[in-house]
Amino acid sequence: MAKGTVELLTDVPEKEKWEILKRSKVVLHFMRNDNVSLGVAEAMSVGAVPVAYKSTCSWMDILEEGKLGFAYGSVEEGAKYVLNLIENYDLYYKMKNLSFNEVKEFTYAVFKSKVLPVMNALLDWK
C-alpha cells in the first residue's frame, strides 16, 4: 500500500508544470473526454509513464492500447497501475524506456512532415 500524500494540481503555470513533470515517475491522466491528449505525450517526453482513462484518444492513438502505457476504467484500476509502477522497478523502467523512445513520433518536425503533404495535395486538388 502507498504511503504519503497525493496532491492534485489544476491550472499550474507552464514553467511549474514542466518542473513537476521532470520529477515524476508516473502521470495519472484524468481527462475523460480529451481528444488531443497533449498531457500524455508531455509526460512521456520526460520519461514519466502515463496511466490514462481507457476511452480517451490517448489510449488508442498515443499509448497504442497498452504498448506504451496503461489505461484504467475505474479509480481502483488506476490506483492499481500507479502502485504497480512505483513498486515494480523492472516494469517501470521497461515502460519508461518504451514510451520515452516512441514519443519522438509526436514532435513538431514529424507532425509537419506528415501534414504538409496532405495540405499540398489539398491545395493541388482544386
Side-chain angles (χ1 to χ4, degrees), residues 35-52:
N35 293 325
V36 178
S37 301
L38 183 58
V40 171
E42 288 174 337
M44 292 167 66
S45 76
V46 295
V49 178
V51 178

Side-chain angles (χ1 to χ4, degrees), residues 31-108:
M31 295 292 293
R32 287 185 175 210
N33 299 315
D34 186 12
N35 293 325
V36 178
S37 301
L38 183 58
V40 171
E42 288 174 337
M44 292 167 66
S45 76
V46 295
V49 178
V51 178
Y53 188 69
K54 201 170 265 181
S55 69
T56 60
C57 288
S58 61
W59 168 241
M60 294 173 273
D61 298 335
I62 297 175
L63 301 180
E64 298 179 22
E65 296 185 5
K67 178 183 171 200
L68 305 174
F70 298 96
Y72 63 94
S74 68
V75 172
E76 294 78 17
E77 189 178 14
K80 179 187 81 168
Y81 283 123
V82 170
L83 289 173
N84 194 23
L85 284 162
I86 291 170
E87 294 171 352
N88 184 336
Y89 291 109
D90 291 337
L91 177 64
Y92 165 72
Y93 282 106
K94 174 188 170 196
M95 296 308 293
K96 171 185 175 168
N97 290 331
L98 277 172
S99 63
F100 182 72
N101 290 329
E102 289 293 321
V103 78
K104 294 173 179 93
E105 185 68 22
F106 300 102
T107 64
Y108 176 73

Side-chain angles (χ1 to χ4, degrees), residues 3-58:
K3 297 177 182 174
T5 303
V6 173
E7 184 178 359
L8 299 178
L9 305 172
T10 61
D11 302 320
V12 176
E14 194 71 11
K15 183 179 177 185
E16 184 181 348
K17 174 187 80 175
W18 283 102
E19 290 170 4
I20 293 167
L21 277 175
K22 289 176 186 175
R23 296 189 317 262
S24 301
K25 289 179 74 171
V26 179
V27 170
L28 183 61
H29 190 258
F30 285 105
M31 295 292 293
R32 287 185 175 210
N33 299 315
D34 186 12
N35 293 325
V36 178
S37 301
L38 183 58
V40 171
E42 288 174 337
M44 292 167 66
S45 76
V46 295
V49 178
V51 178
Y53 188 69
K54 201 170 265 181
S55 69
T56 60
C57 288
S58 61

